[in-house]
Amino acid sequence: MAFELLMVTSEAWPLAKTGGLGDAVGGLAKALRSGGAGVTILMPAWRGTQDQLAGMHRVTELPGLPGGPAELYAGYCPALGCRVLLLRNDALYDRDSLYVTPEGDEYDDNAVRFAALSMAAAYVAQGLPGVTVPAVVHAHDWHAALASVYMHQFGVQDIKTILTLHNVAFQGVYPMMPAEQLGLYPEYLTADGLEYWGKLNFLKAGLLYSDCITVVSHNYAREILTPRFGCGLESVLAARIDKMVAIPNGIDTMLWNAGRDTYLHGKTFTADRLENKVACKTALQKAYGLDADRGAFLLAMGSRLTEQKMVDVALQALPQALDAMPKLQVCILGQGERRAERELVQLAQRYPGRCGVYIGYSEARAHRLHAGADALLHGSRFEPFGLTPLYAMRYGTIPIASRVGGMVDTIVDPGLVAETNRLYRATGILFDGEAAEDMRSAIERAVTLRQRPLVWRTMQRNAMLAPMGWEQSAPLYSQLYQSLRPDVAPIEAVGPRLQPREVRRNLQRRNGRGRAASSLDAVVPAGTSVA
Ligand code: ADP
């Protein structure tokens, strides 16, 4: 029997994306497909999603879902090379944006919208005419977390479930509602299931019912066991530690590739030939209305404009830095909290020619931002993995990032007082703290480092060449799937196929960096094939 995987998600680039979740799920699906695996993505039929699929056809109706009857459509995504099942209920999913109203408020029926997605996954696992039954259901984030709960209710036992935590801060917390509104038996709405402090908590229930929990970086896996990063779920996570494994995300190195990026209009470059990066910088300065000054230090910010991303701190630190450093320029791409958007626009007005802001979401602009900037400012109060700094690094743009989450694993910063020979290993700058002063002095440090051309140039090269593709991580997922279902022929992925012992060693090395192994190092639950 060939391995069949069902990935349940709200986002998968290029079908739908609002942040790193979409990139991670799309990237993993593509990497697994490259090995010939039977991968199917199940996601809502968001507005326009079906237009990106080939061979769309209606499979069946699902009458008993929360929010009313829905239809299941199937198609093929050429960009990802995998099958896609779309859950169609236009009243629930055919809206301007995925999660929030134009005013930025969460849709008030989000609980029902994502309960329906999870229940649809359970129907697929149970068996539907015309749909292949998966060996493993891999749910991503709170949107899909209830899949394992519905599967439990349906009595589906042989199909294993994985829940990947892309961000523990988003849990799907809603006021308690009658169980029948979610299509659940009342016993699932107790403290042993969805109930948490009198409310519904989708993520918590997924943690309790999934066979395995994966976390998108080793450092974040450790952090979420603490109150600061566990966001109230640290004790639930601690209780499930024997089911947890950290598998870092990868990035799509074909897409984020300075040497082939079509968004750069021919001005491509490589780690050894950076001439065209200067042309990209000039183009970026022009696009953001900045002075055409090659010698300026061009600092970019590109992210959701939220408290998580420390936009409040940036709003204080950037004017201080602009005042202190006359050669500093800033360009910002982002959207998010309305107040932050307004204040950033005002900041640009205060520093004409030195600060430019684009409020909005644009994939093309993100590529050009990373290509043209000297450095990327990426403050974060928490950062499960941190794709954006890696994208910047691929273009020789040095990340200046908070020392949290996955960025601790992916950015090499030998420290403030490192000797020169150690600096030659660096790929970026990490800073502690959440005060404007912390961020401003990190920017100053970058500006000072760039005055040492050999060090800066080496950092750029290191950053561009750092291994970060899915070929590191997709094989670890394949091994995990296999270990959960040793009765099914293995799923292949890009990258080398590791032997079980190598997987364990690999995970121990990454998890612990030399510390004694804990249960976090256990790649898979007991009774599986990884020795
Ligand atoms: P998070 O998932 O917390 O938002 P990540 O850095 O892991 O953070 O991933 C963010 C993803 O969203 C990246 O692909 C980044 O380029 C993209 N992104 C965020 N804001 C924008 C924007 N305004 N325009 C284009 N891409 C954006």
Side-chain angles (χ1 to χ4, degrees), residues 66-347:
E71 291 173 309
L72 207 56
Y73 280 76
Y76 177 78
C77 177
L80 299 179
C82 70
R83 287 171 304 219
V84 177
L85 289 171
L86 291 183
L87 182 65
R88 183 156 181 201
N89 175 340
D90 289 349
L92 293 186
Y93 305 124
D94 184 22
R95 300 186 186 173
D96 288 339
S97 73
L98 270 51
Y99 313 117
V100 294
T101 65
E103 292 71 44
D105 302 319
E106 246 204 276
Y107 292 125
D108 54 17
D109 58 351
N110 273 353
V112 165
R113 297 169 85 218
F114 292 105
L117 174 68
S118 293
M119 194 193 256
Y123 274 121
V124 173
Q126 195 180 38
L128 286 175
V131 185
T132 315
V133 174
V136 169
V137 172
H138 185 170
H140 294 271
D141 266 355
W142 74 267
H143 318 103
L146 294 192
S148 56
V149 181
Y150 288 110
M151 284 167 68
H152 189 268
Q153 175 166 300
F154 289 3
V156 178
Q157 283 173 351
D158 47 340
I159 295 164
K160 299 299 176 193
T161 52
I162 300 174
L163 174 62
T164 292
L165 303 178
H166 295 266
N167 196 338
V168 171
F170 300 111
Q171 300 177 4
V173 176
Y174 298 102
M176 189 51 73
M177 62 175 74
E180 59 269 23
Q181 242 175 291
L182 297 174
L184 282 167
Y185 301 149
E187 58 260 37
Y188 288 100
L189 266 55
T190 63
D192 295 330
L194 270 96
E195 192 272 333
Y196 203 52
W197 298 102
K199 293 186 170 179
L200 296 171
N201 188 316
F202 280 35
L203 196 65
K204 179 222 165 193
L207 291 174
L208 294 183
Y209 280 90
S210 298
D211 294 305
C212 182
I213 299 153
T214 73
V215 188
V216 294
S217 73
H218 295 279
N219 193 46
Y220 190 60
R222 288 189 290 270
E223 286 176 342
I224 57 178
L225 298 169
T226 66
R228 178 174 165 206
F229 295 101
C231 303
L233 287 184
E234 56 277 5
S235 51
V236 179
L237 286 159
R240 299 285 290 164
I241 197 166
D242 59 328
K243 305 290 180 197
M244 275 170 67
V245 53
I247 303 183
N249 280 338
I251 68 165
D252 187 331
T253 49
M254 298 299 278
L255 196 66
W256 299 94
N257 185 337
R260 318 165 59 130
D261 194 326
T262 51
Y263 289 118
L264 306 187
H265 305 305
K267 300 292 181 200
T268 54
F269 54 93
T270 64
D272 291 317
R273 301 215 53 171
L274 285 184
E275 294 85 348
N276 273 343
K277 186 165 169 66
V278 180
C280 292
K281 179 171 177 174
T282 306
L284 190 62
Q285 286 171 323
K286 194 167 171 212
Y288 282 78
L290 306 178
D291 297 337
D293 176 2
R294 282 182 173 206
F297 185 98
L298 181 48
L299 179 68
M301 242 176 83
S303 70
R304 294 184 286 115
L305 302 174
T306 61
E307 236 185 71
Q308 178 194 341
K309 303 293 180 186
M310 281 167 67
V311 65
D312 50 325
V313 181
L315 275 161
Q316 294 175 43
L318 288 175
Q320 291 175 13
L322 283 160
D323 289 341
M325 291 171 270
K327 288 297 259 183
L328 180 68
Q329 292 183 341
V330 177
C331 60
I332 300 165
L333 164 68
Q335 66 178 22
E337 289 158 13
R338 298 293 180 262
R339 191 170 146 201
E341 292 178 352
R342 272 195 308 275
E343 290 183 15
L344 284 172
V345 171
Q346 287 161 5
L347 182 74

Side-chain angles (χ1 to χ4, degrees), residues 17 19-20 23 303-304 308-309 333-335 360-363 366 378 383 386-388 391:
K17 167 180 162 181
D23 283 349
S303 70
R304 294 184 286 115
Q308 178 194 341
K309 303 293 180 186
L333 164 68
Q335 66 178 22
Y361 190 95
S362 161
E363 204 70 26
H378 199 79
E383 191 69 65
L387 290 163
T388 307
Y391 295 153

Side-chain angles (χ1 to χ4, degrees), residues 479-503:
Q479 295 271 311
L480 179 61
Y481 300 144
Q482 239 276 275
S483 61
L484 289 168
R485 288 298 302 269
D487 54 317
V488 184
I491 197 167
E492 296 289 343
V494 292
R497 178 157 174 74
L498 303 178
Q499 294 306 309
R501 264 177 217 294
E502 285 178 274
V503 174

